[in-house]
Amino acid sequence: MSRHMPEHPCRMDAHGVCGDKTARKFHGFPALLLVAVGVMFLSAPVSAEDEPISEEAAVSIEADVLVDEAEQAESADEPLDELPGIIIEAADPSERSEPTLMAVLAQGSPDNGRATLETHVDPQTGEHPVYKLRPVPFNDGSTQVVTLDDLLYLALENNSALQQQGYSIEKGHYSVDQTYYAYDPTLAAGLNYSRRAGGSREVDDGQGGTVLISGTTSNSVAASFDYTLPRENGDRFSLGYSLTGSRQSGGSLSGRQENFSSGITLGFTRPLGRGAGKHLGRIPRYIASNNLQLSYQQLDDQTRSLKRNILDTYYQAVTARQAIDVRQRNIETALRQLERAVERYKVGLGIQADVLQAENNVLNQRTNLLNSVKSYQDLLDTLTTLVGLPQEYELALDTGEALLDRSAVLPEDLWALVLSNSFELKSLNTQLANLRLQREQLEDQVKPQIGLNVSYGRSGDEESFGSAVSSLSNDSIQLGLNWQATKGERSAKASIAQNQLDLASLELEMQQTELELKGRVRERQRDLETKADQIGLAESNLAVTQQAYEIAVERNNVGLATTLEVIEAQEDVLAAELAVLNARVAYHQTYRELLLLAGVI
């Protein structure tokens, strides 16, 4: 059922200003009368024949008012170019960045200047001209969709930091192996040749004359072989064999003389003071093993930290993707508000400021959407870096991944897990153990050097090479005791004092680290409880702002609220939706920090 309003008493020029000075005071009369009628219908009781006025009915009333004015103008044979109202001309898609919406509205229609609701669709694009402000919807359908499990698997396989730590572990294994290689046997062999020639000399021949005797020439060759086997307790076994041959000729010798000798020696050395004992010899191995174990613990800690970083970045990216959807829906709402503001302006129910505010709201929402898309893409780049993928590998996330609720359960023995799994404490404990082992080495340096040497050998001298090799008729035994010390051993004692100070400092550092860890755990627990409450408050605030927005829209429909009030209510809803998302992400991050401290993430 249509309701007609009386004819507008004012003729407006191209700038929307009333041309009749006597009638300007009646310029807002149709809007006021329409509001009054709307209020009457909203307050009237609802019967079977009369339904409450909805937003569509209000738009219908505005259209009836415009059609009624056009019919009255035609019946009065008034020129069409003097009728109030403005037509929005559709913008060419190739000129979407030309004039603003209000500039288009201010131009009016070049044909008849008639305000009509039927011409707001662009015949070329099929869209209302306000939709030229709609951005292209964000679409990541052409990228590779990955799940959280996929990212964690890729990170373990490709992360460069984990691979570098794997190399450090391999180096640690070699360091441990080197402590065994120190007791490998040593082989030595030698071959020496020497020649000695004497000068000629004159001797008395016994008859009052002299005889010239040439010098003696000596050639010798010596070969040796030694085998040494060290032991962990400081003992050392050695085995040596030597063979020497010499030849002399000339001088007073008649002919050529040859001599060959050989010998074999078995020796044993044991330290009685400094360096004695298996434990002291194994200290380098203990230190290397401690460092290797710490490398494995560091790998575990890096893996847990990487997992935490991936989880944080992943859920931040999921939230950013959801924020894009929220802002796109918000743009659609802003566009509907802009279109309604335009229609109200055309029929005289709105003012130019309403359209400008609605258009500015759309532009602001588009700017915020661009920022949200950039933030989302930056987070995806961070994910590709964490998992070790090239930047050309474009990712898209499954936004269906749910965040933790507010009932996340922490381990009951949280502090015990922190003490046993904290890498900081493990690192300090390893340093403390190595310092104590080094102290034992330094204390050994104070002891005097006392060594026991025992050797047994057999040798033989023959005129032929074969006899010398097979005949070892001579035997020998040697027994020795050696002692050496530095007066006062002041250098070794100073090193022991420094080591003691390092131990005391490290123990204090461990106590301070435990206190800091305990404070950090308590802070995270309180923070977790606070953020759980913040989620509830954010959800409640979202419900309130949504109700306030709906009320503002209804009030604007009947002319009791301005477009700016609706825009502000819409901004409050958007901020509340984003606050809920951010509160859940913050709660999730704090929960994972606690799990990381406990070493159970």
Side-chain angles (χ1 to χ4, degrees), residues 45-335:
V46 179
S47 62
E49 295 82 6
D50 196 353
E51 297 294 335
I53 294 178
S54 62
E55 180 178 355
E56 292 79 4
V59 175
S60 177
I61 293 173
E62 297 172 2
D64 292 339
V65 172
L66 182 61
V67 172
D68 181 63
E69 292 179 355
E71 291 176 352
Q72 293 179 13
E74 291 177 358
S75 62
D77 295 331
E78 295 179 352
L80 295 179
D81 55 357
E82 296 181 0
L83 288 177
I86 298 173
I87 296 178
I88 303 177
E89 294 184 354
D92 188 350
S94 63
E95 300 177 355
R96 299 236 172 211
S97 61
E98 289 296 325
T100 63
L101 181 60
M102 280 307 304
V104 176
L105 287 173
Q107 291 176 1
S109 172
D111 298 331
N112 51 20
R114 181 175 179 178
T116 174
L117 297 177
E118 286 75 12
T119 61
H120 66 282
V121 176
D122 188 343
Q124 297 180 0
T125 64
E127 294 182 345
H128 193 286
V130 298
Y131 287 94
K132 70 178 182 178
L133 299 177
R134 174 182 285 115
V136 178
F138 179 75
N139 183 15
D140 52 4
S142 61
T143 55
Q144 179 68 35
V145 179
V146 293
T147 63
L148 181 59
D149 293 336
D150 295 335
L151 291 174
L152 294 175
Y153 173 78
L154 291 172
L156 293 178
E157 294 293 328
N158 302 318
N159 184 264
S160 59
L162 296 185
Q163 294 177 0
Q164 291 176 356
Q165 186 60 27
Y167 296 150
S168 298
I169 291 176
E170 288 297 322
K171 291 173 61 178
H173 279 287
Y174 282 114
S175 297
V176 175
D177 293 342
Q178 284 178 333
T179 62
Y180 289 93
Y181 301 154
Y183 304 106
D184 289 346
T186 302
L187 301 176
L191 179 63
N192 299 311
Y193 168 79
S194 65
R195 183 177 183 278
R196 180 176 179 275
S200 300
R201 59 188 179 90
E202 292 181 354
V203 297
D204 189 3
D205 59 0
Q207 299 179 359
T210 59
V211 178
L212 181 64
I213 300 177
S214 61
T216 303
T217 302
S218 174
N219 296 283
S220 65
V221 178
S224 63
F225 173 81
D226 295 294
Y227 175 84
T228 305
L229 178 63
R231 304 293 299 275
E232 286 184 345
N233 58 0
D235 296 349
R236 184 180 298 272
F237 293 94
S238 62
L239 175 64
Y241 180 81
S242 62
L243 178 63
T244 304
S246 63
R247 177 182 298 170
Q248 294 181 355
S249 62
S252 60
L253 298 176
S254 60
R256 184 176 63 182
Q257 294 184 358
E258 295 182 349
N259 183 35
F260 297 93
S261 64
S262 64
I264 184 170
T265 304
L266 178 63
F268 171 76
T269 303
R270 165 168 289 184
L272 301 179
R274 184 184 303 178
K278 286 185 177 181
H279 175 72
L280 191 65
R282 292 178 178 176
I283 286 180
R285 185 182 308 166
Y286 295 153
I287 294 177
S289 299
N290 290 339
N291 294 334
L292 176 60
Q293 183 180 7
L294 184 63
S295 297
Y296 275 106
Q297 293 169 350
Q298 186 175 2
L299 178 62
D300 294 339
D301 182 72
Q302 287 181 347
T303 303
R304 290 191 295 265
S305 299
L306 176 62
K307 184 177 180 181
R308 191 276 308 269
N309 293 336
I310 291 177
L311 288 171
D312 287 347
T313 308
Y314 178 81
Y315 284 113
Q316 287 176 4
V318 170
T319 303
R321 184 63 182 86
Q322 294 174 352
I324 291 175
D325 296 336
V326 170
R327 292 195 179 277
Q328 285 181 336
R329 293 195 302 268
N330 206 53
I331 285 180
E332 293 297 327
T333 302
L335 286 170

Side-chain angles (χ1 to χ4, degrees), residues 449-482:
Q449 295 182 7
I450 300 177
L452 175 64
N453 300 322
V454 178
S455 65
Y456 172 77
R458 296 187 65 87
S459 62
D461 294 325
E462 300 292 340
E463 294 182 354
S464 64
F465 176 78
S467 299
V469 172
S470 59
S471 176
L472 298 174
S473 57
N474 303 324
D475 59 354
S476 63
I477 298 177
Q478 291 183 353
L479 180 64
L481 184 64
N482 302 319

Side-chain angles (χ1 to χ4, degrees), residues 392-439:
E392 294 77 12
Y393 190 84
E394 297 184 358
L395 300 179
L397 304 182
D398 182 8
T399 56
E401 294 283 351
L403 296 176
L404 287 176
D405 54 17
R406 287 176 286 169
S407 59
V409 179
L410 293 172
E412 295 182 359
D413 54 344
L414 180 63
W415 176 240
L417 290 173
V418 172
L419 288 178
S420 60
N421 297 327
S422 171
F423 177 72
E424 298 179 46
L425 292 179
K426 289 180 179 179
S427 178
L428 293 176
N429 282 325
T430 301
Q431 295 180 39
L432 186 64
N434 290 342
L435 281 176
R436 289 170 178 169
L437 291 173
Q438 292 173 3
R439 178 179 177 85

